[in-house]
Amino acid sequence: MALNKTILIVDDSASLRQVVAITLRGAGYDVLEAGDGKDALAKLTGQRVHLIISDVNMPNMDGITFLKEVKKNPHYRFTPVVMLTTEGSEDKKRLGQEAGAKAWMVKPFQPQQMLAAVAKLVM
Amino acid sequence: MMLWLPLISPLLMLALVAVTGGSAGVLWVMFLLLLVSAAFTWWQGQNYKSTQLAHQQAQDALQQQLHSVRQTLAYHLSVSDVIRRASPHWVRHTTLVREQSGEAIESLTQRFDTIIQRLTETLDLAATTSADDETLNRTIVDSRADLAGMLASLRHALLERVQLVAEFSNLGQYTTVLVDMAQEVAEIANQTNLLALNAAIEAARAGEAGRGFAVVADEVRKLSSQSGATGENIRTKVEEINRAMTNALTAASRLSGQDQQLIQQAESAIDSVANRFDRVARELGESHQRLSGDSSAVRHDLEDVLLHLQFQDRINQILGALAGDLERLAEAASQQAPLQTPLDSQHWLAELQRSYTTLEQHDERHSSGNNGGITFF
C-alpha cells in the first residue's frame, strides 16, 4: 500500500475521475480531484502532490496549457505529470512531451497498467 | 445560302425570252430552269422545316433544363432552410445526449463505487471471520482433548473403584475365615464347658479337698459359656458384615458396569458432538471460502464494469465534435447569400477531422475497446 502519497486527477468527466480515483484508492493512494486545468491550478496551493494525472481536452483550460502552468510553478515544477486522454496521435504526444509530461496514456486504460505507471513515476 | 436561286429564276427566264425572242430551245431551257427552281424550292422548304423543328426541340430542352435548375435550386434552398432551422435542435439534442448520458454514467459509477466499497468491507470482514474460523477449529480440537482427558480421569477413577471392590471381595474371604474362627471359638468354649463340668464332678467327688477346685471349675464353665456366647455373637456379626459386604460388592459391581457404560456413552456422545462441530466448522469454512471467492469475483467484475464505463468519455468527445460541426453547419446555412459563397467540402472535412480526439474517429477500423497503451518520455 502506498501510504501518504497524494495524486491529483484532472478531468472534466466526473465518471472518468471516479474510475481513476477508485483504481488509485484501491492501491492505497490519497486522491485529489479537479474538473479542468483552472480548477486544478486553484487546488495546487502548496500541499504536497506526488503525481498529477491530467486529461488533455477540457473546458476553461486544456491539459497542455495546465501542464505548462504547472511547470512554471516552483512548488510543482518537478512533480511528474501523466497525460490521460483519448488523443493517440504522435503530434499530440509530442506536444505533451515538449510541455514536460512524463508519460502519455491513452484511454481506455487497464488498472494494473495505470498502477504500474503510477508506481514507476510517483515521487 | 441558295435562297436567291428561286427568286432569280423567273427573272432569268424573262431575260432569256426578251433576248431570244421566245424560240423553242429557249423555252426548253426555261422549262428546265423552272423545274430545277421548283425542286430547289421544295428542298429548301423541307430544310427550313427540319431546322425549325430542331430549334424548337432545343428551346424545349433548354426550358426543361431551366425548370430542372429552378427545382434543384428550390430544393437546395429548402434543404438549407431545413438545416438552418433544424441544426440548432440537433445541437441542443446532441448536448442533451452528452449531458444525460454523462449524468447517468456518473450516477452508475457512484453506485458501482458504493457496491465495491461494501464488497471490500465484506471481504475484509470475511478475512476477520476466517481467522475466527481457525479459532473455532482450534477450540474444537482443544475441547476434544480436554474431554478426552476428563474421560481418562473418569476411567482411572473407575479402575480405582474396581480395585477397591476387588479389595472388598478379598475382605469377604477374610469374613469366611472369621466365621470359621468364631465357630472354632464356640466349639472350644463348648469343649471347655464339658471339661469344666467334668472338673466340677471330680471336685465334688474329692469332697472338701476339691471344694476350691470346684469353684475354679465353675468359673471356667462360666467363662466357656461366655466364650461360646461371644463366639456365636462374633459369627452372627461377621455373617451380618459379610452379608452387608456382599450387598455392597453387588451394588459396586452393578455401579461399575453402569459407570463403564456411562463412560462409553459419554465418549460416544463427545465424539459425535465433536464430529458434528467439526463438520459444521468445515462446512462454514467452505461456505466462507466460496462466499469470499464469489465476492472477489463480483468485485473484479464490477471493477471491469467501471473500466468499461470509460466509453462515456469517448462518446462525450465524439458527440462534442459532432455538435461543433453541426454548429458550423447551422452558421453556414444562416448566411444571407449562401450561393455566393459556396462551401468547400474538402476544407469542411479537414476542419471536422481537426476536431477529432479519438483514434476511432480517424480510423473506423480502430476499436474503442482496445487498450490505449502508455508511452513514457
Side-chain angles (χ1 to χ4, degrees), chain A residues 40-69:
Chain A
L41 286 178
K43 283 190 164 62
L44 292 174
T45 54
Q47 80 274 35
R48 186 104 163 94
V49 173
H50 301 83
L51 182 74
I52 297 171
I53 298 174
S54 175
D55 189 13
V56 172
N57 297 302
M58 293 182 290
N60 299 324
M61 182 185 287
D62 66 83
I64 299 296
T65 308
F66 165 67
L67 173 58
K68 290 175 180 172
E69 290 297 320

Side-chain angles (χ1 to χ4, degrees), chain B residues 117-342:
Chain B
Q117 285 178 8
R118 285 179 181 166
L119 269 176
T120 304
E121 288 171 4
T122 304
L123 285 170
D124 291 343
L125 186 64
T128 311
T129 312
S130 176
D132 288 342
D133 286 345
E134 291 173 9
T135 306
L136 177 62
N137 287 331
R138 194 166 54 249
T139 303
I140 290 173
V141 171
D142 291 346
S143 300
R144 191 192 280 269
D146 289 345
L147 289 170
M150 191 184 74
L151 281 174
S153 299
L154 283 173
R155 280 200 197 91
H156 183 67
L158 182 62
L159 184 64
E160 286 185 343
R161 195 157 71 181
V162 168
Q163 288 173 349
L164 187 64
V165 169
E167 291 295 329
F168 272 109
S169 294
N170 290 334
L171 281 178
Q173 294 173 0
Y174 288 116
T175 56
T176 305
V177 173
L178 284 173
V179 168
D180 292 343
M181 287 173 70
Q183 187 64 35
E184 285 177 4
V185 167
E187 286 178 0
I188 290 170
N190 196 28
Q191 290 295 325
T192 305
N193 190 35
L194 283 175
L195 287 172
L197 187 59
N198 287 330
I201 293 169
E202 290 301 323
R205 196 179 286 170
E208 192 64 31
R211 186 175 300 270
F213 187 72
V215 171
V216 172
D218 188 50
E219 288 301 321
V220 169
R221 193 174 55 83
K222 286 179 182 173
L223 282 175
S224 69
S225 296
Q226 288 177 355
S227 297
T230 301
E232 183 60 25
N233 197 22
I234 287 171
R235 189 182 64 81
T236 304
K237 293 298 178 188
V238 167
E239 282 179 352
E240 286 177 1
I241 289 170
N242 193 29
R243 201 162 38 248
M245 281 179 64
T246 302
N247 290 337
L249 282 171
T250 304
S253 296
R254 191 174 62 250
L255 285 174
S256 292
Q258 287 177 352
D259 286 348
Q260 186 67 35
Q261 197 176 358
L262 283 174
I263 285 175
Q264 286 176 352
Q265 286 176 352
E267 190 174 23
S268 176
I270 287 168
D271 275 346
S272 175
V273 170
N275 288 337
R276 210 173 299 150
F277 270 112
D278 274 344
R279 190 172 64 252
V280 170
R282 195 167 53 250
E283 287 173 356
L284 278 174
E286 288 171 358
S287 298
H288 172 262
Q289 282 184 346
R290 194 162 55 247
L291 279 174
S292 294
D294 290 347
S295 298
S296 294
V298 170
R299 189 176 185 278
H300 289 144
D301 286 346
L302 285 174
E303 285 175 350
D304 279 347
V305 169
L306 280 179
L307 290 172
H308 284 102
L309 288 178
Q310 292 177 66
F311 83 93
Q312 191 272 334
D313 187 46
R314 307 177 75 79
I315 285 178
N316 190 37
Q317 302 213 25
I318 293 169
L319 286 176
L322 179 61
D325 203 48
L326 285 173
E327 284 176 355
R328 273 203 306 145
L329 186 62
E331 188 180 349
S334 300
Q335 287 183 1
Q336 292 300 318
L339 291 177
Q340 292 178 7
T341 53

Side-chain angles (χ1 to χ4, degrees), chain A residues 8-14 16-17 20 34-37 40 52-59 61-67 81-87 104-105 107, chain B residues 313-314 316-317 357:
Chain A
L8 172 63
I9 304 167
V10 190
D11 201 306
D12 58 322
S13 167
L16 202 287
R17 284 201 308 273
V20 178
D36 56 52
I52 297 171
I53 298 174
S54 175
D55 189 13
V56 172
N57 297 302
M58 293 182 290
M61 182 185 287
D62 66 83
I64 299 296
T65 308
F66 165 67
L67 173 58
V81 179
V82 177
M83 307 308 291
L84 177 63
T85 174
T86 55
E87 299 267 10
W104 189 277
M105 184 180 285
K107 303 170 190 173
Chain B
D313 187 46
R314 307 177 75 79
N316 190 37
Q317 302 213 25
T357 57

